[in-house]
Amino acid sequence: MAQDTIFSKIVAGEIPCNKVYEDDLVLAFEDINPSAKVHVLVIPKSNHLERLSEVATEDANLMGHIMVCINKIAKDLGIDKTGYRVITNSGENAHQEVPHLHFHILGGEPLSKRNN
Ligand code: 5GP
């Protein structure tokens, strides 16, 4: 079970963000410290998952929905044709900073061939 993080505060509207997409289950907003020309974070509004390694069978619909949202967001941002990368950092070795499941969409320019 995830704790309350900065992302919960963003979902609650207690901390501002540059929102790019929202529905009942998902919020997407610009990363405050972008690693690429386009850097958007896509999060479930629920904070019940700290990281990908906690995802369970009952989360399958939510996870599928997040992937569909990522596809829609990339199209809306106009990066679907040129390409983009989706990353989720799960845990310590991946240097996950915020313990609330999230997916990074990176694009808008050529990215490094590898991510490490
Ligand atoms: P992680 O390392 O956990 O995968 O990524 C966390 C991301 O959240 C980082 O890229 C960081 O820049 C971003 N971030 C941290 N705090 C905030 C914030 O208050 N607002 C926004 N928009 N992004 C944040």
Side-chain angles (χ1 to χ4, degrees):
M1 179 68 169
Q3 47 189 298
D4 255 7
T5 67
I6 197 133
F7 289 176
S8 302
K9 293 193 170 74
I10 288 174
V11 169
E14 292 163 17
I15 291 177
C17 70
N18 290 331
K19 184 165 65 182
V20 300
Y21 176 82
E22 182 172 20
D23 64 26
D24 289 349
L25 299 174
V26 167
L27 180 67
F29 51 91
E30 292 173 1
D31 195 291
I32 204 166
N33 185 21
S35 305
K37 204 166 164 190
V38 173
H39 188 169
V40 168
L41 300 173
V42 183
I43 71 170
K45 285 184 171 176
S46 163
N47 73 346
H48 76 288
L49 294 165
E50 193 165 314
R51 58 176 66 100
L52 189 66
S53 59
E54 291 185 352
V55 169
T57 306
E58 57 264 31
D59 301 307
N61 285 346
L62 173 65
M63 297 302 286
H65 180 66
I66 290 172
M67 290 301 126
V68 173
C69 289
I70 287 172
N71 187 17
K72 179 179 168 20
I73 291 162
K75 285 194 172 95
D76 290 348
L77 293 173
I79 60 170
D80 57 314
K81 299 272 192 312
T82 48
Y84 56 93
R85 182 175 289 154
V86 178
I87 294 172
T88 189
N89 294 317
S90 184
E92 196 179 332
N93 279 1
H95 304 284
Q96 181 178 5
E97 285 172 19
V98 181
H100 180 133
L101 179 66
H102 56 281
F103 294 86
H104 300 253
I105 304 177
L106 297 158
E109 61 183 334
L111 302 171
S112 63
K113 254 190 157 179
R114 292 180 57 127
N115 199 46
N116 55 14

